[in-house]
Amino acid sequence: MPESLLPPELTTLARRVVEENAAAGRKVAVAESCTGGLVAAALTEIAGSSAVLDRGFVTYSNEAKQELLGVSPDIIDTFGAVSIACVWAMAHGALKHSRADVAVAISGIAGPDGGSREKPVGTVVFAKALRGVEDSDSEEKHFEPGTRADVRLQAALVALELLLP
């Protein structure tokens, strides 16, 4: 049996996130859409993660984003679920509904379908929110639309990087 079901680059980075946040005394939360819990799964592969991971929200549907994280339907209607506005609201909603000090949100188009000219397959948006700070870091990335698994792995790696102190 392998040591982990997940790729080594994912668990290596998750180990850093757990160790560095534990050392900093920080709790984290994740709000995931296109990664479907992959970031939380990577963190929980690491012994000691219970000291760091407060909770994860898998909000794959728009309704879940609204019901679990308080994302306004107006944001989704105006900008779409794959938008900086949406992940900003997701990250802040994850903080509001957790005891975490920092939250990261991810939403994107993993493919092979679902893309458009404006938002092609491989488009993923991220936001990081810190408790007590109104602003948040957010970014949009365009990954090579290889396989669905490739896009999801790259997105999970970026999200983990954002969780480093």
Side-chain angles (χ1 to χ4, degrees):
M1 205 56 190
E3 186 175 311
S4 173
L5 297 171
L6 302 175
E9 65 264 43
L10 198 58
T11 54
T12 298
L13 185 52
R15 179 169 279 103
R16 275 190 60 207
V17 169
V18 168
E19 290 171 354
E20 292 181 26
N21 279 287
R26 289 194 339 172
K27 291 263 190 192
V28 305
V30 293
E32 303 183 64
S33 187
C34 65
T35 49
L38 186 57
V39 178
L43 291 170
T44 59
E45 282 287 289
I46 308 307
S49 59
S50 60
V52 171
L53 180 63
D54 179 63
R55 66 194 73 189
F57 301 89
V58 178
T59 54
Y60 207 69
S61 70
N62 292 343
E63 294 78 15
K65 290 172 183 66
Q66 294 167 33
E67 293 166 13
L68 296 176
L69 299 173
V71 175
S72 166
D74 292 343
I75 288 174
I76 295 171
D77 292 344
T78 305
F79 303 103
V82 181
S83 66
I84 295 296
C86 186
V87 290
W88 187 93
M90 288 170 66
H92 285 273
L95 280 183
K96 182 179 178 183
H97 297 286
S98 74
R99 292 185 171 88
D101 302 297
V102 59
V104 166
I106 312 112
S107 187
I109 305 161
D113 304 318
S116 66
R117 217 174 52 138
E118 298 80 27
K119 296 178 186 177
V121 170
T123 302
V124 183
V125 288
F126 303 87
K128 170 183 170 180
L130 296 167
R131 185 163 304 283
V133 178
E134 185 60 28
D135 238 1
S136 60
D137 295 333
S138 53
E139 62 183 309
E140 179 174 315
K141 291 200 172 278
H142 297 274
F143 300 113
E144 275 303 309
T147 66
R148 182 175 177 79
D150 292 336
V151 172
R152 293 176 74 230
L153 175 60
Q154 291 306 310
L157 289 167
V158 169
L160 286 169
E161 285 280 347
L162 288 170
L163 287 171
L164 290 170

